Amino acid sequence: MRAPGTAIIAAAAATFSSAGSSDSGNVCRGMVTFLINHHTDELHSILLSPDPRLHYPLFIDFAELLDDNPPIAQLVFCKPAEYLPVFDRSAVSAQGHLLKDLEEVCSGANVKDYVHVRVDVSGSPLECPETFPSIGRVRVRHRNILLTLKGTVIRSGAVKTIEGERVYECLKCKNSFPIFPELENGNYIKPPLSCLSEKSRSCEGTRFRLLEGSSKFHDYQEIKIQESTQLLGVGAIPRSIRVILKNDLVDIVKAGDDVIATGILTAKWSADLKDVRCDLEPVLVANHVRRTNELKSEIAIPDDAILKFKHFWEIYKDSPLKGRNAILKGICPQVFGLFTVKLAVALTLIGGVQHVDASGTKVRGESHLLLVGDPGTGKSQFLKFSAKLSSRAVVTTGLGSTSAGLTVTAVKDGGEWMLEAGALVLADGGLCCIDEFDSMREHDRATIHEAMEQQTISIAKAGLVTTLCTRTIVFGATNPKGRYDPDQPLSVNTTLSGPLLSRFDIVLVLLDTKNPEWDKVVSSHILAQEEESRRGKDDDDLRNTWSLPMLRRYIHFVKGYFRPVLTKEAERVISSYYQLQRRLATGNAARTTVRMLESLIRLAQAHARLMFSNKVTQLDAITAVLCIESSMTTSAIVDSVGNALHSNFVENPDQEYAKQEKIILGKLSCID
């Protein structure tokens, strides 16, 4: 049995062979009928718009066109370069038909000449691999059909004006005809060599006159899209392709956006540069562009999964922390223990609620995490696993990252400067993992200060001044400088500056101290895991195991569904702890700033989301305090040096929490 996409291609080929005999007038009438039957409201809106010089889009569904008029749908698919302009002219004709009825009701309506039919292929048979390939699989056979590509915008050019049409008059037969630019030759309009008038007898005139005022101009922009690194295998290099946007499509996307572009694949000569070979490179002339940033279509959450989550929390209603720990055990299961790190990773990925005050000032909702540890303590494992959990992630290393590679690069392309998005911009709305954070040069690290706190990057390069969004979680991992000295502040042990350290919500220290009992337990766990993988254990019960897809769905669901609000008890705990830290901040002044208070609120909100709740309770606030305590070199409440490496999952977490709550409330003098 053939796929539906293959069937439509075969049908289109059959129609294509008979297209020569088909009457173009019938096609035009069929298009006008379709637009009047299905898009009357949109056409009325265009007719009533005041400005006749604007370009207006008219969005149609290819699936709807295929149901209503299959022959026309197949012609649009098979010969889009010929029939999409016919569709545009049909939209103008359809306005003329509707204008008579509209003038009786409303005056001021007029026909707009610049209407562009935009074909959306989502939900149609064209979403098959043959007509929706990855960018790396685009070949010559995809030319001159309606092709759809998906990727991330990595480069966005300036908006230009190009001449789209000229009208010449033949001096011999006095007939006029339009000439269009050649895309292959850089949109250059060549003067005609012979008369192109459509008469029964050919005119052999070779002298022409350009009619004044006949030129039509279009907005024009080139962008570059790259296939998503999430969908590539290991070792594959992400491929990119240029996309040409015209008229109403210009400036609707920016660097870092995820887009699905539908258009016609053609070729264009590359820029003529010295010592560079001139080639024909593929370009996609876009007809329809759809941003998918808000859709997050990578993670689909079925209703039965949401019911599973609710049922899971009903089981653990009386012992919620036991339920929370069951979820945390699914994070990086190959690493034994490290309860504190797994809790920190979960809270960082879930994040808090963004707050915007009356003046429009934003307080970020995303948390940042830094792991400082000896070699072999599993830092990179957590980084890689977090990237899998996030719907959008960019993984890089400090040694291979420059300030331009992390933020934005200014590149010269064909004599024009363009901005190319770096790691933080590409990770907008997701996660940016930076391994070997200490290997970055000092001025490279300074560039991410603004990106971490204000969540924007301000650029002034090569005459291009702009601001780009970087609403991203930064997850860093670094080795201490030499042997970690608990008596020294964190900035001395890591060579990271105070301003940068204060931007991380949680900084966890993993020290590889010699502990025979711990080594024995860890080795048993690793060997048991080997045995388990050979048996191929598969368990669908959430009480026992949380698989990676289920964890991704859970994190995505709680982030979108819950917006927790602080209760009075939680506010009192957070406020008291912040004041206590400010009083005791002698050796760790870089961490005890106002940012710590914001971090406590974010972590408490994230814990409430993790616990499937819309209220930040005292339990959430105390868990946030314990997370911050773990990241302190000298603890203010728990009398121990913070080493998250040997933190393990306890048998009865609810009883353990009751003890910790009593100690913390006693120290904070919050007991009623």
Side-chain angles (χ1 to χ4, degrees), residues 220-295:
Y220 177 93
Q221 184 186 21
E222 282 190 18
I223 63 171
K224 200 172 191 180
I225 63 172
Q226 177 181 287
E227 57 189 325
S228 174
T229 51
Q230 301 283 88
L231 307 174
L232 293 175
V234 177
I237 298 169
R239 304 295 176 187
S240 56
I241 191 170
R242 288 173 189 269
V243 179
I244 292 173
L245 308 178
K246 289 183 183 176
N247 302 319
D248 55 291
L249 295 179
V250 300
D251 250 2
I252 62 169
V253 295
K254 60 182 187 305
D257 285 345
D258 287 333
V259 296
I260 294 176
T262 303
I264 307 162
L265 185 72
T266 181
K268 181 184 177 184
W269 286 104
S270 56
D272 188 12
L273 301 172
K274 187 182 177 183
D275 298 331
V276 177
R277 183 181 170 182
C278 203
D279 291 320
L280 271 173
E281 59 174 332
V283 291
L284 185 78
V285 181
N287 170 265
H288 180 268
V289 175
R290 181 163 57 108
R291 287 178 64 204
T292 58
N293 292 27
E294 289 79 16
L295 299 178

Side-chain angles (χ1 to χ4, degrees), residues 446-467:
T447 57
I448 66 174
H449 283 202
E450 183 194 357
M452 287 177 72
E453 193 60 41
Q454 276 72 43
Q455 299 203 308
T456 56
I457 288 177
S458 302
I459 300 297
K461 291 182 178 183
L464 301 167
V465 181
T466 185
T467 302

Side-chain angles (χ1 to χ4, degrees), residues 581-635:
Q581 280 289 2
R582 291 289 287 176
R583 284 201 300 272
L584 300 174
T586 50
N588 219 2
R591 296 280 295 140
T592 50
T593 60
V594 181
R595 288 188 180 131
M596 178 193 271
L597 184 60
E598 292 173 358
S599 296
L600 282 163
I601 295 167
R602 274 193 292 272
L603 293 172
Q605 288 172 337
H607 193 263
R609 281 174 163 175
L610 179 63
M611 302 291 284
F612 220 67
S613 169
N614 244 332
K615 277 187 181 175
V616 180
T617 59
Q618 188 170 281
L619 180 147
D620 302 315
I622 287 174
T623 307
V625 166
L626 287 168
C627 275
I628 296 287
E629 278 291 295
S630 303
S631 65
M632 288 292 168
T633 321
T634 50
S635 180

Side-chain angles (χ1 to χ4, degrees), residues 120-172:
D120 185 3
V121 301
S122 58
S124 76
L126 292 191
E127 286 192 319
C128 69
E130 186 61 34
T131 57
F132 197 162
S134 62
I135 294 171
R137 294 184 178 275
V138 171
R139 300 290 182 266
V140 175
R141 69 173 185 272
H142 293 119
R143 285 192 69 179
N144 301 325
I145 62 167
L146 202 61
L147 186 72
T148 306
L149 298 174
K150 181 180 182 180
T152 305
V153 180
I154 58 166
R155 190 186 293 181
S156 177
V159 177
K160 303 175 187 173
T161 300
I162 62 162
E163 194 175 6
E165 183 184 326
R166 276 186 203 163
V167 179
Y168 283 91
E169 184 185 53
C170 177
L171 295 177
K172 186 176 180 182

Side-chain angles (χ1 to χ4, degrees), residues 483-497:
R483 186 164 181 79
Y484 191 91
D485 185 359
D487 299 326
Q488 294 290 340
L490 207 55
S491 52
V492 174
N493 276 306
T494 57
T495 67
L496 298 178
S497 61

Side-chain angles (χ1 to χ4, degrees), residues 338 341 369-383 434-439 475-485 490 493-496 501 506-513 630 642-646:
L338 269 68
V341 184
L369 171 64
L370 178 67
L371 296 181
V372 182
D374 294 327
T377 48
K379 302 185 298 296
S380 299
Q381 296 269 16
F382 280 107
L383 243 70
I434 306 173
D435 207 351
E436 309 294 343
F437 204 74
D438 55 324
S439 305
F475 189 170
T478 177
N479 292 319
K481 179 190 169 189
R483 186 164 181 79
Y484 191 91
D485 185 359
L490 207 55
N493 276 306
T494 57
T495 67
L496 298 178
L501 280 174
I506 308 174
V507 181
L508 293 180
V509 180
L510 306 170
L511 299 180
D512 191 8
T513 52
S630 303
N643 181 12
L645 186 68
H646 293 170

